[in-house]
Amino acid sequence: MTQKTQTRSGGRSARRAARATALPDHLRPVRPGLEGGTYKPLTPAEMDRIHGAALQALEEIGLADAPPSGVGYLTAAGAEQGADGRIRFPRALVEDAIARANRRIVLCGRDPAHDLDLSGHRVHYGTAGAAVHLVDALGRNYRESTLQDLHDAARITNVLDNIHFLQRPMVARDITDNCEMDLNTVYATTSGTTKHIGTSFYDPAHVKPAIDMLHMIAGGEDRWRERPFMSNSNCFVVPPMKFATESCLVMEECIRYGMPVLLLSAGMAGATAPSTVAGAIVQAVAECLAGLVYVQAVKPDHPAIFGTWPFGLDLRTGAMTGGSGEQALLTAGCAQMHKYYDLPGGAAAGIADAKLPDMQAGWEQMCSNVMAGLSGLNMVYEAAGMHASLLGFCHESLILGDDLIGQALRCVRGIEVSDETMALDQMREVCIGGPGHYLGTSQTLGRMQADHVYPALGDRTSPKEWDEKGKPDLIERATARKEEILANRSAARFDPALDARLREAFRIYLPA
Amino acid sequence: MTQKTQTRSGGRSARRAARATALPDHLRPVRPGLEGGTYKPLTPAEMDRIHGAALQALEEIGLADAPPSGVGYLTAAGAEQGADGRIRFPRALVEDAIARANRRIVLCGRDPAHDLDLSGHRVHYGTAGAAVHLVDALGRNYRESTLQDLHDAARITNVLDNIHFLQRPMVARDITDNCEMDLNTVYATTSGTTKHIGTSFYDPAHVKPAIDMLHMIAGGEDRWRERPFMSNSNCFVVPPMKFATESCLVMEECIRYGMPVLLLSAGMAGATAPSTVAGAIVQAVAECLAGLVYVQAVKPDHPAIFGTWPFGLDLRTGAMTGGSGEQALLTAGCAQMHKYYDLPGGAAAGIADAKLPDMQAGWEQMCSNVMAGLSGLNMVYEAAGMHASLLGFCHESLILGDDLIGQALRCVRGIEVSDETMALDQMREVCIGGPGHYLGTSQTLGRMQADHVYPALGDRTSPKEWDEKGKPDLIERATARKEEILANRSAARFDPALDARLREAFRIYLPA
């Protein structure tokens, strides 16, 4: 409808120069922890109903397969084990657990500048997952993911402003021993980024040596316990309504050693959860409430993230799908339930079903990411880099995700309404005897940095400029950026003395 | 985090077969006119303030450059022309216009099945714009757009379920005479789709012959006036706060001949509108309220769409940008103001700054499209196919936009909470003595069509299947779909007798 305005070259170069200097924090248009919550897919009455159904499910159906230790903790707390072995949760027990939950969770970074405050509707985006492939975007190829790929993902995350944490996004398939894989995952991620990290453990026995490594990195047990910079992503349930016996034991170990826990219920709507959005949310909420009771029964104040992560399913094929509108609703509805309970919560968004970072990937990643942010989800997991319905992770897509999430964060920040922003005085000056445009007003120039998110790789040139620049390709630009990041020494790397001690104590597969 | 479930081949082929039959209307998961409104970027108090500022702007600043006829209409209605020539609007005049506005607008299709009811928060997506280039997606090339390109866009729109209307998206640059261009635009769009069409006129003198053509197509003036299937997209203001003199005369002509009017205020935030989101909304609201008074002064009950269309600007370069988070907020905030007044409204979303339908285009188009839908925007203009910040239109992107908007519409539909969808009974049956999964439950199978939007071109295969299929490229698939659509005879084409009469009465450039 409207053509581009003419560029005024004097103003243009001045504005370009102003942008070239790094932004002080108060001028950054977006940052971690912006408050969402303006999008509310559920009414208060609907949340009451979902809560009521979850309580009923816990009281009447309960959960099977708790490990003996868990049965002990839970029955001592007031849960009941039936003749069928299932643990059932009286309503009052669940309500007490909600009332007493730890609501003041801060997930620490190794660098305190990266700490994440999970209170209120504060929104943070990061990676997660267990992809088994690395996606070569330029080569259009999938291959098995390696430890080096994981380390590179950590290093890339460390320099991207809008990727606020690194949860282990892919599996190091080049390490066959599960314990060595878990330990090298800790090494490869912590040595790549000073942001908060999430990881998983295959076996409860792997937790203790990992903690030994984390104590060394932290500079002692006290310092680790004071600022644990790694959390445990724990699939404590096998939906529907069964505890994951081994994972529960991992959880108990993590609680023992002061590692925050993400209580992750990853049902698939239509397979391991009801196919309806509401039903999948009810079940995920019920399962995570059971997890909350469990954590508190082990240690009352332990930090636990309410991780309702229902996934979508393509019912035509029975295969998982994460790029749908249904997925975006599942996640946003869960986020609203977290805040119904005023609990720090997390869920999955940003998953692409697309195999490559193409247009489909862009729309899939944005849809659930922006809705997650607007709904006020504290931890948006799997937000960048995830393809093929979680089977592939892509470094170039992670880098492009930083741009994508920057725009989503701008939406989360929302619309500021004040006398200054409504700009009536400016309007009067511009229109009546003024220049008839706002290009040079002090408010336009003064706010050009603080109000606007400029893409790093996203292209805004005119067709003419684009043609003159040789029609730059988005994937080629992301690949070049990746190579530039990885060519530099990482600011997150360990000092050589610590690194030598770690390599002496553990078999580290990454080259020194 | 979760791997794909195993495919059960029996169930899979049964499900595929079930999907192969066309869906009856009550089973379609999404449709035009779904109700949005769950996303509210502005609080009630903030909307009051924006309304107050807009009234103040109209009362104190007013609008310049009304044509003499407009000055006559407006001052007769109670507006005041100052010594500076500006028309100022007393608060009561504006409030009366809001109170008396036509709120029962139905935009007709040539086929009544495509009628659009603009009441409440009903959401419709379609094209719009004045692109001057056609984007060749596979060839990565921009060239001047032609009448045939426009006709092809109409024909493609006609078969896409989630593109609900066609507003003229690009200019026929191969027709040099402006009147012939306007008339051929009417012909090329109406002969391509039976959905509602929006168009513009360069000159008030072009309206009458276009109406003559529309009378012929409708089968007489009465039938046209009963069901006008074309509306006038009218840029009646040149922001900030000036009437567009010629366009106002076009508007008066369209009102005379019974054509609904889109009151389009297309300010650019930072150039022709304040750079702040709130300020750009205040000005757009003020301008459209002035337009509303104008329409009612000409004809009290004439259907007018409240078209606050502020655009974003990249302040580094002074060039328009439509793919930002700021743009999504501008549009969603405007949508909320439309509903503050309970007026049928429209705004722009889905614009890509990306030159090609790449990942950037996907995230840009989804961000503003899904937020526009969730905010309950009645008419989402420019929702598909628009690239290079409105300078290029792309047929392949239009086709992919149908998939993208399908997912956005699924989000607009939202979460149904009922005893059936909360699925407690199903959960009990599945968990206690049941199969332990929901794949075969009657609810899962029964709802697989009605609840889920399946992409037409979006790829959900596994990496293995994708590899076996030769790694299909999204743009190549969209190109093949385009060729398939255009190879078929259009169901919207005129009957030969009418077509011959039109060609006799007008110089039609499209080959018969």
Side-chain angles (χ1 to χ4, degrees), chain A residues 5 15 60 140 271 276 279 283 314-315 318 325 355 360 407 419 421 428 438 453 459-461 471, chain B residues 5 15 49 60 140 271 276 279 283 314-315 318 325-326 355 360 407 421 428 438 453 459-461 471:
Chain A
T5 49
R15 287 190 293 270
E60 298 175 7
R140 301 173 63 90
T276 50
Q283 185 180 299
D314 190 310
L315 292 170
K355 257 48 70 191
Q360 179 189 348
Q407 299 303 335
D419 283 342
T421 59
R428 191 179 285 110
Y438 298 79
V453 176
D459 186 289
R460 290 183 172 178
T461 57
K471 303 181 179 177
Chain B
T5 50
R15 286 190 295 269
R49 290 187 72 178
E60 297 175 6
R140 300 173 64 90
T276 50
Q283 185 181 298
D314 190 309
L315 292 170
E326 296 94 29
K355 258 46 72 193
Q360 179 189 347
Q407 300 303 333
T421 60
R428 191 179 283 108
Y438 299 79
V453 176
D459 185 289
R460 290 183 171 176
T461 58
K471 302 181 179 178

Side-chain angles (χ1 to χ4, degrees), chain A residues 1-5 7 12 15-16 19 38-40 42 49 53 56-57 60-61 86 129-130 140-142 233 240 266 268 270-279 283 311 314-318 321 324-326 329 353 355-360 362-363 365-367 371 374 388 390-391 403-404 407 410-411 414-419 421-424 427-428 431-432 436-439 444 447-448 451-454 458-461 463 466 471 473-474, chain B residues 1-3 5 7 12 15-16 19 38-40 42 49 53 56-57 60-61 86 88 129-130 140-142 233 240 264 266 268 270-279 283 311 314-318 321 324-326 329 353 355-360 362-363 365-367 371 374 388 390-391 403-404 407 410-411 414-419 421-424 427-428 431 436-439 444 447-448 451-454 458-461 463 466 471 473-474:
Chain A
M1 198 53 56
T2 304
Q3 310 291 320
K4 291 202 171 206
T5 49
T7 294
R12 177 179 182 155
R15 287 190 293 270
R16 282 217 164 125
R19 277 285 305 167
T38 48
Y39 167 51
K40 296 183 195 302
L42 299 166
R49 289 186 74 178
Q56 203 182 336
E60 298 175 7
I61 302 170
R86 300 182 79 88
R140 301 173 63 90
N141 199 41
Y142 276 61
S233 168
M268 274 188 288
T272 58
S275 74
T276 50
V277 174
Q283 185 180 299
F311 288 118
D314 190 310
L315 292 170
R316 300 169 303 179
T317 59
T321 168
S324 67
E326 296 94 28
L329 289 168
D353 294 327
K355 257 48 70 191
L356 296 170
D358 57 11
M359 181 169 164
Q360 179 189 348
W363 83 60
Q365 293 189 12
M366 181 55 95
C367 186
M371 284 172 60
L374 294 175
L390 301 185
L391 291 174
D403 259 13
L404 184 158
Q407 299 303 335
R410 182 63 186 86
C411 298
I415 303 172
E416 290 94 10
V417 179
S418 67
D419 283 342
T421 59
M422 290 197 302
L424 210 52
M427 200 181 300
R428 191 179 285 110
C431 291
I432 302 192
H437 65 76
Y438 298 79
L439 277 165
T444 296
R447 303 180 70 97
M448 69 172 281
D451 277 4
H452 296 264
V453 176
Y454 299 101
D459 186 289
R460 290 183 172 178
T461 57
W466 177 72
K471 303 181 179 177
D473 178 79
L474 190 67
Chain B
M1 194 54 58
T2 304
Q3 309 292 321
T5 50
T7 294
R12 177 179 180 155
R15 286 190 295 269
R16 282 217 163 126
R19 277 285 306 167
T38 48
Y39 167 51
K40 296 183 195 300
L42 299 167
R49 290 187 72 178
Q56 204 181 336
E60 297 175 6
I61 302 170
R86 302 182 77 89
R88 291 181 174 80
R140 300 173 64 90
N141 200 43
Y142 276 61
S233 169
L264 204 167
M268 274 188 288
T272 58
S275 74
T276 50
V277 174
Q283 185 181 298
F311 289 119
D314 190 309
L315 292 170
R316 301 169 304 179
T317 60
T321 168
S324 66
E326 296 94 29
L329 289 169
D353 295 325
K355 258 46 72 193
L356 297 171
D358 57 12
M359 181 168 164
Q360 179 189 347
W363 83 59
Q365 293 189 10
M366 181 55 95
C367 186
M371 283 171 60
L374 293 175
L390 302 184
L391 290 174
D403 258 13
L404 186 159
Q407 300 303 333
R410 182 62 185 88
C411 297
I415 303 173
E416 290 94 11
V417 178
S418 67
D419 283 342
T421 60
M422 290 197 302
L424 210 52
M427 200 182 301
R428 191 179 283 108
C431 292
H437 64 75
Y438 299 79
L439 278 165
T444 296
R447 303 180 70 96
M448 69 173 281
D451 276 4
H452 297 264
V453 176
Y454 299 101
D459 185 289
R460 290 183 171 176
T461 58
W466 177 71
K471 302 181 179 178
D473 178 80
L474 189 67

Side-chain angles (χ1 to χ4, degrees), chain B residues 154-165:
Chain B
R155 291 188 53 195
I156 293 167
T157 293
N158 202 47
V159 302
L160 299 177
D161 280 349
N162 302 318
I163 310 295
H164 304 140
F165 60 90

